[in-house]
Amino acid sequence: MRKLVLGSLVAALLTGCSGASNVSQNSTLDGEWICHTIPTQDKQTYDRLDHFVLKPDGTGALRGISYIELDKETTLRYLTKGKVKWQSQNNVLSFDFVNRAMVPAHSNNVAKAIKQNKALQKQEKEELAAFYSKSANHTDMPIELKKNGNQLILGKDYATCRRVTENDKDIQLLNKWFV
């Protein structure tokens, strides 16, 4: 019965009405989320693992790992870290990225190959420029909450997110990269 009531409440919050404030929707989304982005065939998205902390006041933080496959032997890896301002209204999640930075975290073999190969250096620079052009400082994504508010779909196929759990393996992985 409690799940039914909670589910109805979440549905009512997401449905919203023209006079509803953002507070209800924001409070539904605040907390810690792990998001997995799967690359699309047209390479509009990259393989990413992101950790978002969304605070009730509309501020937050992110950190994540992005993988960009150049070919079968060469995968670029970047760490992303920054702050966000966010809000949710009418089933759209808006992010403004603040102080976001990406740093290379390539394997030793890939870093060595890039250092020795001008064509790979150029390709890395192009891929990074493409990444930044696709992930502008402001993003609006349609959202859909599922599983009693514990799963979040960003965009239609962009990312699937879930609330962080105790002893979360993805958080442990990110903690190894962000020391």
Side-chain angles (χ1 to χ4, degrees):
M1 180 70 173
R2 211 180 310 171
K3 287 184 180 180
L4 180 61
V5 171
L6 181 60
S8 299
L9 179 62
V10 170
L13 290 174
L14 288 179
T15 303
C17 59
S18 59
S21 70
N22 288 342
V23 175
S24 297
Q25 285 192 9
N26 281 0
S27 64
T28 304
L29 295 176
D30 66 326
E32 292 187 57
W33 294 89
I34 284 287
C35 299
H36 291 266
T37 305
I38 306 300
T40 55
Q41 296 231 348
D42 61 3
K43 297 196 177 193
Q44 291 297 309
T45 61
Y46 299 107
D47 186 2
R48 295 177 52 128
L49 174 67
D50 290 307
H51 173 220
F52 287 97
V53 178
L54 304 179
K55 297 179 182 176
D57 66 358
T59 63
L62 77 103
R63 62 184 181 153
I65 303 173
S66 300
Y67 299 90
I68 303 171
E69 186 176 294
L70 298 181
D71 56 42
K72 297 286 184 200
E73 294 88 34
T74 311
T75 299
L76 305 176
R77 183 172 48 215
Y78 293 95
L79 301 179
T80 307
K81 189 175 185 178
K83 297 180 189 280
V84 298
K85 291 184 180 179
W86 70 280
Q87 69 174 350
S88 173
Q89 185 174 15
N90 299 326
N91 297 329
V92 174
L93 178 62
S94 299
F95 278 116
D96 286 303
F97 295 99
V98 181
N99 298 329
R100 181 176 53 166
M102 287 181 73
V103 295
H106 310 317
S107 69
N108 290 336
N109 290 341
V110 170
K112 184 177 178 182
I114 290 170
K115 189 174 184 177
Q116 297 173 349
N117 185 324
K118 295 270 189 213
L120 276 178
Q121 290 172 18
K122 181 181 177 194
Q123 192 173 6
E124 178 191 30
K125 186 176 180 180
E126 289 169 354
E127 288 291 335
L128 195 55
F131 176 88
Y132 269 113
S133 72
K134 291 174 190 168
S135 59
N137 286 332
H138 177 81
T139 302
D140 291 321
M141 291 176 280
I143 59 171
E144 181 182 349
L145 270 176
K146 295 183 173 234
K147 297 186 180 180
N148 292 331
N150 289 316
Q151 185 182 41
L152 177 66
I153 308 298
L154 295 176
K156 188 174 178 181
D157 299 314
Y158 181 74
T160 301
C161 306
R162 63 175 170 72
R163 291 206 183 264
V164 171
T165 59
E166 189 176 336
N167 300 318
D168 196 298
K169 292 186 188 308
D170 288 325
I171 295 295
Q172 292 172 6
L173 171 68
L174 288 168
N175 286 342
K176 288 179 183 178
W177 287 101
F178 292 91
V179 180

